Amino acid sequence: MPVPIPRQRAIPAAEGGQAHALPAPVPTSPDVAAHHRPTEQTVGTGLSLLVIEDDPAGSLSVPELLDSAGKPIRIRTARNLTEAERLLTDDVHCILLDLALTGAGASEDDEDELAMLKHVLRLAPRHAVLALTANGDSETGAEAVRVGAQDYLFRDELDGRLLSRAIRYAVERKRADAAQRQLTESRLRAQENARLERGLLPTPLLDGSPLRFAARYRPGRSRALLGGDFYDTVRTPDGSVHVMIGDVCGHGPDEAALGVELRIAWRTLTFAGLCGDELLSTLQKVLEHERADDEIFATLCTVDIAPDGRRAGLCLAGHPSPLIVRDGRLAELLPYENSGPALGLLPNARWPRRQVELGGKWSLMLYTDGLIEGRIGEGKERLGQEGMVEMVRRKIAAGLRGDELLEAAVNEVRDLNGGDLTDDVAVLLLDRDR
């Protein structure tokens, strides 16, 4: 048996204003109620109550009601659920249902005494509902609240002040419940999206390689884990290490999805043995088939490092050239002459592969333009590649390496910009220390 809910405890004790009962009952005729239906100009200026009751004896008298601001609460009366459905417009805030009501709305075989309440809750899921029970029947009232009503009142104890407070309480409780439900749904969606995006970020496959890998990724979209920037690193069976980084123009979820497709295609093609111009030409075909608009393009930088780690092949498709730090030398950009266009711009483009000598010990940093296009201070000046090279030189001189170097570089770029960067930022580092 449900534990009865004390009616007085269910109504807030503190109210912003006092409302007093007035002896005059409201009109009960549906025609009169419809005549007093609020116009568009009055919607939202006060509370509206829909009373659903059928009292042949006329013993149910709803007093005139005032809201917390002292304005009259507009009242409509329906004799059955058919009339209630007609009168239940968006400007109705609360429903007062007499649980003794019988008639259409419930199955003939349904002996549930709360069948009418359940029907009203299905009919008006966004409205607050007050249940009206027989005097002293707290058990039925408590069950009505459990089913979905916001509160219950005793039929023989209605007065203006009590009912006014109950209406305001029910409306606010319904709003709070709706807000909490929306918040919970938003959190669940955010958690699901986070799990999905986290699963789409790459896992470097470098088993057996002496190279050390580090990466930092910050999407420009608010509350996102994934942007249009993408990267990946794999080691093929011949011992070569392949690394790439790219940037799809734009910052929305469509661009993020396209970046994931290109990254997965790159990994697949790399394991299939494609490299250089052949690989990039195939990636361009993937982009052309998957993009939502013909104007969408993607920049890309690929590096394939020989098994001995001392030399590499470099291809640039409209992308900034990597930065290299060789043993005993200052950080500098790799040569970027004769680079090809971004993917998706020219149908018959070619991307020459340039041989680069790396040396014995080196660090190779690949990045997207989000790292170099942030502003410096309040002016229009950008950090640029030269500014980035100088910044990295300072960090290395201070003894920073690996993850610490990337973290410090990204944080300084953000600080120079005066806050979060609007563009996606991806930066990764490969180190060979022997």
Short mmCIF file of all heavy atoms in Angstrom, two decimals, residues 197 217 219-222 224 226-229 248-259 422-424:
data_model
loop_
_atom_site.label_atom_id
_atom_site.label_comp_id
_atom_site.label_asym_id
_atom_site.label_seq_id
_atom_site.Cartn_x
_atom_site.Cartn_y
_atom_site.Cartn_z
N GLU A 197 33.10 10.06 -30.41
CA GLU A 197 34.22 10.84 -30.93
C GLU A 197 35.55 10.31 -30.43
O GLU A 197 36.54 10.26 -31.16
CB GLU A 197 34.06 12.32 -30.54
CG GLU A 197 32.88 13.00 -31.24
CD GLU A 197 32.79 14.47 -30.90
OE1 GLU A 197 33.32 14.87 -29.85
OE2 GLU A 197 32.18 15.21 -31.68
N TYR A 217 45.57 17.53 -29.55
CA TYR A 217 44.44 17.78 -30.46
C TYR A 217 43.41 18.63 -29.72
O TYR A 217 42.96 18.26 -28.63
CB TYR A 217 43.83 16.44 -30.89
CG TYR A 217 42.81 16.54 -31.99
CD1 TYR A 217 43.18 16.30 -33.30
CD2 TYR A 217 41.49 16.87 -31.74
CE1 TYR A 217 42.26 16.38 -34.34
CE2 TYR A 217 40.57 16.97 -32.75
CZ TYR A 217 40.95 16.71 -34.05
OH TYR A 217 40.04 16.81 -35.06
N PRO A 219 39.84 20.59 -30.85
CA PRO A 219 38.88 21.04 -31.87
C PRO A 219 38.43 22.46 -31.61
O PRO A 219 38.36 22.91 -30.45
CB PRO A 219 37.73 20.05 -31.74
CG PRO A 219 37.83 19.55 -30.33
CD PRO A 219 39.28 19.57 -29.97
N GLY A 220 38.14 23.19 -32.68
CA GLY A 220 37.68 24.57 -32.52
C GLY A 220 36.24 24.66 -32.11
O GLY A 220 35.81 25.64 -31.52
N ARG A 221 35.43 23.60 -32.40
CA ARG A 221 34.01 23.62 -32.03
C ARG A 221 33.87 23.52 -30.52
O ARG A 221 34.54 22.75 -29.85
CB ARG A 221 33.26 22.45 -32.67
CG ARG A 221 33.04 22.59 -34.17
CD ARG A 221 32.10 21.49 -34.65
NE ARG A 221 32.68 20.18 -34.46
CZ ARG A 221 32.01 19.13 -34.01
NH1 ARG A 221 30.74 19.26 -33.65
NH2 ARG A 221 32.58 17.96 -33.88
N SER A 222 32.93 24.31 -29.99
CA SER A 222 32.66 24.28 -28.56
C SER A 222 32.10 22.93 -28.15
O SER A 222 31.23 22.37 -28.81
CB SER A 222 31.67 25.40 -28.20
OG SER A 222 31.31 25.35 -26.85
N ALA A 224 33.22 19.99 -28.29
CA ALA A 224 33.44 18.87 -29.20
C ALA A 224 34.77 18.22 -28.87
O ALA A 224 35.66 18.83 -28.29
CB ALA A 224 33.43 19.34 -30.65
N LEU A 226 36.11 16.25 -31.49
CA LEU A 226 36.62 15.95 -32.81
C LEU A 226 36.29 17.10 -33.74
O LEU A 226 35.17 17.61 -33.75
CB LEU A 226 35.97 14.66 -33.32
CG LEU A 226 36.67 13.94 -34.47
CD1 LEU A 226 38.04 13.45 -34.03
CD2 LEU A 226 35.80 12.76 -34.93
N GLY A 227 37.29 17.51 -34.54
CA GLY A 227 37.10 18.58 -35.51
C GLY A 227 37.48 18.11 -36.90
O GLY A 227 37.63 16.91 -37.17
N GLY A 228 37.70 19.07 -37.81
CA GLY A 228 38.06 18.74 -39.17
C GLY A 228 39.52 18.35 -39.35
O GLY A 228 39.90 17.86 -40.41
N ASP A 229 40.35 18.58 -38.33
CA ASP A 229 41.75 18.15 -38.40
C ASP A 229 41.84 16.65 -38.11
O ASP A 229 41.06 16.11 -37.32
CB ASP A 229 42.59 18.89 -37.37
CG ASP A 229 42.79 20.36 -37.75
OD1 ASP A 229 42.23 20.79 -38.78
OD2 ASP A 229 43.48 21.08 -37.01
N VAL A 248 40.46 19.31 -43.03
CA VAL A 248 39.32 19.55 -43.91
C VAL A 248 38.83 20.97 -43.68
O VAL A 248 38.67 21.40 -42.53
CB VAL A 248 38.18 18.54 -43.62
CG1 VAL A 248 36.96 18.84 -44.49
CG2 VAL A 248 38.66 17.11 -43.85
N CYS A 249 38.58 21.72 -44.75
CA CYS A 249 38.11 23.09 -44.59
C CYS A 249 36.75 23.09 -43.89
O CYS A 249 35.87 22.29 -44.20
CB CYS A 249 38.03 23.80 -45.94
SG CYS A 249 36.79 23.13 -47.07
N GLY A 250 36.60 23.98 -42.92
CA GLY A 250 35.36 24.04 -42.14
C GLY A 250 35.57 23.44 -40.76
O GLY A 250 36.61 22.81 -40.47
N HIS A 251 34.57 23.61 -39.89
CA HIS A 251 34.74 23.21 -38.49
C HIS A 251 33.56 22.43 -37.93
O HIS A 251 33.51 22.16 -36.74
CB HIS A 251 34.96 24.44 -37.60
CG HIS A 251 35.99 25.40 -38.12
ND1 HIS A 251 37.32 25.09 -38.15
CD2 HIS A 251 35.86 26.64 -38.66
CE1 HIS A 251 37.99 26.11 -38.67
NE2 HIS A 251 37.12 27.05 -39.00
N GLY A 252 32.58 22.07 -38.75
CA GLY A 252 31.38 21.41 -38.25
C GLY A 252 31.51 19.91 -38.16
O GLY A 252 32.55 19.31 -38.47
N PRO A 253 30.42 19.24 -37.75
CA PRO A 253 30.43 17.78 -37.63
C PRO A 253 30.61 17.08 -38.97
O PRO A 253 31.18 15.98 -39.02
CB PRO A 253 29.07 17.46 -37.00
CG PRO A 253 28.22 18.66 -37.26
CD PRO A 253 29.15 19.83 -37.28
N ASP A 254 30.12 17.66 -40.07
CA ASP A 254 30.31 17.05 -41.39
C ASP A 254 31.79 17.01 -41.76
O ASP A 254 32.28 16.01 -42.30
CB ASP A 254 29.53 17.83 -42.46
CG ASP A 254 28.03 17.66 -42.31
OD1 ASP A 254 27.60 16.68 -41.66
OD2 ASP A 254 27.28 18.51 -42.83
N GLU A 255 32.49 18.11 -41.46
CA GLU A 255 33.92 18.14 -41.74
C GLU A 255 34.68 17.15 -40.86
O GLU A 255 35.64 16.51 -41.32
CB GLU A 255 34.46 19.56 -41.53
CG GLU A 255 34.03 20.57 -42.58
CD GLU A 255 32.58 21.03 -42.40
OE1 GLU A 255 32.01 20.79 -41.32
OE2 GLU A 255 32.04 21.64 -43.34
N ALA A 256 34.24 17.03 -39.59
CA ALA A 256 34.88 16.06 -38.70
C ALA A 256 34.68 14.63 -39.23
O ALA A 256 35.61 13.82 -39.21
CB ALA A 256 34.31 16.19 -37.28
N ALA A 257 33.48 14.34 -39.71
CA ALA A 257 33.20 13.00 -40.25
C ALA A 257 34.05 12.73 -41.49
O ALA A 257 34.57 11.62 -41.67
CB ALA A 257 31.72 12.87 -40.57
N LEU A 258 34.18 13.74 -42.35
CA LEU A 258 34.98 13.57 -43.56
C LEU A 258 36.45 13.35 -43.20
O LEU A 258 37.16 12.54 -43.83
CB LEU A 258 34.83 14.78 -44.47
CG LEU A 258 35.58 14.74 -45.81
CD1 LEU A 258 35.21 13.49 -46.60
CD2 LEU A 258 35.32 16.00 -46.60
N GLY A 259 36.95 14.06 -42.19
CA GLY A 259 38.33 13.86 -41.74
C GLY A 259 38.56 12.44 -41.26
O GLY A 259 39.61 11.84 -41.54
N THR A 422 39.85 29.67 -32.49
CA THR A 422 38.60 29.35 -33.20
C THR A 422 38.79 28.21 -34.19
O THR A 422 37.82 27.57 -34.59
CB THR A 422 38.08 30.58 -33.95
OG1 THR A 422 39.09 31.05 -34.86
CG2 THR A 422 37.74 31.70 -32.97
N ASP A 423 40.02 27.94 -34.59
CA ASP A 423 40.30 26.87 -35.54
C ASP A 423 40.74 25.62 -34.80
O ASP A 423 41.23 25.68 -33.67
CB ASP A 423 41.39 27.31 -36.52
CG ASP A 423 41.42 26.45 -37.78
OD1 ASP A 423 40.58 25.55 -37.90
OD2 ASP A 423 42.30 26.69 -38.62
N ASP A 424 40.53 24.46 -35.46
CA ASP A 424 41.04 23.22 -34.89
C ASP A 424 42.57 23.25 -34.84
O ASP A 424 43.22 23.87 -35.68
CB ASP A 424 40.60 22.03 -35.75
CG ASP A 424 39.09 21.96 -35.93
OD1 ASP A 424 38.38 22.36 -35.00
OD2 ASP A 424 38.63 21.52 -37.00
#
